Amino acid sequence: MVVGNRRGLRLAALGTLLAVVALPAYADDPTPPPPASVTDVNRTLEELQAEAAAVQADFAKATIAYTNALKAAQTAEAAAKKAETAAAASKGRADEQRRRLGLLTAQAYQLGIPTVMGAESMLWSLAPVAENLQEIADRQTAITQLGSTQVAQYKTAMAAESEAGRTRSEAAGKRAVANEAAAKAKELSQQVQQKAAFAATAMEGQAADLDGASELSRQLQLARNQQALTRWKTYLTELTTAKVKPPAAAVLKNPAKLPAGLKPLTAAGAPVPGAASTVTGGRTIRVLPAETIRAVNQAFSLLGKPYGVGATGPAKYGCLGAARVAWQPYTTLPNLVGKVYPNYQAVPKTQVQPGDLLVMGSKSLGLVHIGVALDNGEMIAADEAKGSVVVTTVPDNLYSALRPTLGKPAKPQIAPTPSSESYAFRCGNTATSYNIGTGAWTWPLPDGTYEIGTPFGQAGSMWATGIHTGQDFPAAVGTPVRAATSGVVRVEHPAWAGNLVRIDHGNGLETLYAHLSAIDVADGAQVKAGQRIGAVGTEGNSTGPHLHFEVRLGGDPVNPMPFLATGSASVGWGGFSNGMIPSSKLCGLGSGHKLRCDAAAAYAQLAAAYRAQFGRTLCITDSYRSYTSQVDLYARKPSLAALPGTSNHGWGVAVDLCGGIDRFGTKQYQWMKNHAATYGWVHPSWAEQGGSREEPWHWEFGKPASA
């Protein structure tokens, strides 16, 4: 593939740069980072993912169209069969009425009784009984009946015949619709097969590049860590050169009462409490408290340490663990991010300084992530997506900045109440499915009014984050825009979007609708799925009329296409697409099976307990499933398989088991129900007996949102 060849050349070229050009390294850092020029081109892995997202979006569009057509064909077929059954019954009733009229006509003829029917009508009525004239009743009864019933029966027979004709015509029309719908479904089925073949080929071409791209991404992260450390050391050197000894935090609390030689530090035109400045050689140098400098130094010492859920060191660190260690022994942070917020003075976001505690979250989600602030819009945080403590960009779901050196808040600070789903957003990321609940979910534009435009994840300098965070739908200005599902509206007017409607659906789920030419809902309004909220436009940073549509979970943008396709989605980890995880990031279970490494470790413990109970090896049939294999399975079993790109098998956190576990009610299945959760494995609700898709064999690592 041409794309694959270009990508390979790009990786090779960047790899060469990494090998031959590097910034000076400190003695305690054995890994020389790449130069800034390479760090600036840090979209290589993201570009791979963007290409994967584009293929997945295209395939999702085809499968959605096929699924809708298949449902339409099934509905039309059912309607046609119902109409044909009704037509057959109507014909039977008409035939019976005609037969009865024929008997009356035959009797009248045999008895010589005059009839009001013409010759043609008589022949029509006699046809059903021409061979059965012996059924005529005795003479006297016939004479009595004929006088009063022949005309009425003629009218009844004619009405029945007319109704039979109408139902026959209706049935023929519905059969034509059913045949047309079936033909369309067949055509779209063939398109899905073609798309599946293309997607499989494209993903196979990318799979070979993933390990290289993953390693390059790791090198770039090391470079970013090193550059942030270099900037920090430069600052410390400036203090030393200026012969400034960082004072204690208590001395800098009040900008109006600073020691001699220090002046207030200002930000956004206001003095910054807990910091100061000094002028040396005509240069203004920021002065931070000694406790803050110690905390930042300790935070830097944790860079590269592996991520672990809830871990506090020394081998692994969770989101809160890294921040807690950084600020000890000056203060010990509470054990939940939500409990940190009420205990330390919040400062304006415009006054954020290195060492501040940055808490991320929202009113609907609660507080879920914490980092130690640096300059340049960066922070140090234990990041599940990166798998370690890293220097990373402060996300746009920053809720508040806290300054521990200022002590308790002057006014009560109440943290937002965490939702029932907040556990799913450890450090802003999750590895399990996210279901939107029982409410309806619809496309934001009416069918036939839009195209599939720029996909989620595409790299480019026109976007502030470097990648496209939504899915674009080109459409004419004025095209109605609808709420994807129910929620509460927030109207905004950021420069990039012009007119923006943001809908909070609860539990950390949001949808965004940007570049609108008109907004038809009020701020704070409650809307339902499918309700008009505005119209397509080209306001803000836009290259033409289109809707920029986003889905955000816990503040993080995720690919909207699986949500639009299924009403639920899986969100990733480590920067990889579903089914596109490098083999180096997975751990083996034996017999060719692999899982994400933490899931693999938990599986090993589960398997050991199972062997102790039953004396046999835990039987497994499926584990990590590549995107290619998901496509293949979906192409063969579209009614059973998950839409490719949404399966938890594609995140390496799901297994299919056998050996008795694959049947409800067995001893093996019941043992799993009683004990698997102890090792972090659960049976999702949809797979339960009586669930939407009964699969006793399917188990997932970590408690999924649907459980």
Side-chain angles (χ1 to χ4, degrees), residues 270-529:
V272 178
S277 67
T278 186
V279 178
T280 302
R283 295 183 64 248
T284 300
I285 299 175
R286 175 175 51 196
V287 178
L288 296 173
E291 294 88 341
T292 297
I293 290 176
R294 186 179 191 279
V296 176
N297 283 338
Q298 289 193 156
F300 270 112
S301 73
L302 301 179
L303 289 179
K305 294 286 186 179
Y307 173 87
V309 178
T312 57
K316 295 182 178 181
Y317 292 90
C319 349
L320 185 60
R324 174 183 278 184
V325 169
W327 272 99
Q328 286 177 335
Y330 178 76
T331 185
T332 299
L333 305 184
N335 59 359
L336 293 173
V337 178
K339 292 183 177 180
V340 173
Y341 180 68
N343 289 323
Y344 300 96
Q345 177 64 52
V347 296
K349 295 178 183 178
T350 56
Q351 294 188 2
V352 169
Q353 300 296 319
D356 288 350
L357 295 171
L358 305 180
V359 291
M360 273 60 69
S362 66
K363 290 182 179 179
S364 67
L365 181 65
L367 302 180
V368 296
H369 190 14
I370 189 167
V372 178
L374 302 174
D375 286 323
N376 299 320
E378 294 182 325
M379 66 180 185
I380 294 175
D383 191 329
E384 183 184 27
K386 297 292 185 181
S388 63
V389 181
V390 296
V391 173
T392 185
T393 301
V394 177
D396 65 2
N397 66 334
L398 173 64
Y399 186 82
S400 182
L402 310 174
R403 191 159 295 155
T405 56
L406 296 181
K408 292 277 187 181
K411 297 180 180 179
Q413 295 173 179
I414 301 174
T417 303
S419 72
S420 60
E421 305 292 346
S422 62
Y423 64 80
F425 300 105
R426 300 189 301 265
C427 296
N429 208 278
T430 177
T432 54
S433 295
Y434 186 97
N435 293 326
I436 65 166
T438 57
W441 182 269
T442 187
W443 285 63
L445 296 179
D447 290 345
T449 65
Y450 63 91
E451 300 174 358
I452 303 295
T454 304
F456 172 83
Q458 182 166 310
S461 59
M462 68 185 74
W463 301 298
T465 61
I467 61 170
H468 194 233
T469 54
Q471 174 67 53
D472 283 352
F473 296 104
V477 171
T479 301
V481 175
R482 311 179 297 189
T485 189
S486 60
V488 178
V489 167
R490 196 163 85 228
V491 175
E492 300 176 357
H493 302 280
W496 70 271
N499 295 320
L500 174 72
V501 169
R502 182 192 295 259
I503 303 180
D504 185 348
H505 308 289
N507 292 334
L509 174 66
E510 291 181 304
T511 52
L512 281 69
Y513 312 76
H515 309 307
L516 302 178
S517 61
I519 294 177
D520 300 329
V521 285
D523 192 69
Q526 176 75 43
V527 294
K528 298 179 180 179

Side-chain angles (χ1 to χ4, degrees), residues 647-698:
S647 170
N648 272 341
H649 285 286
W651 295 124
V653 292
V655 293
D656 290 344
L657 303 176
C658 46
I661 298 173
D662 51 341
R663 298 187 301 278
F664 291 114
T666 64
K667 291 187 296 183
Q668 294 85 353
Y669 174 80
Q670 197 57 49
W671 185 91
M672 285 289 292
K673 288 287 292 180
N674 294 338
H675 300 283
T678 303
Y679 305 96
W681 288 89
V682 296
H683 196 227
S685 59
W686 58 262
E688 295 278 3
Q689 196 164 19
S692 60
R693 196 167 74 243
E694 296 183 350
E695 293 187 4
W697 55 82
H698 181 89

Side-chain angles (χ1 to χ4, degrees), residues 34 51 67 159 356 509 613-614:
E51 292 168 16
T67 301
D356 288 350
L509 174 66
Q613 175 66 28
F614 293 102

Side-chain angles (χ1 to χ4, degrees), residues 206-223:
Q206 287 193 342
D209 291 341
L210 277 175
D211 279 303
S214 176
E215 175 58 23
L216 181 58
S217 179
R218 188 185 72 85
Q219 293 276 3
L220 292 170
Q221 183 62 61
L222 290 175

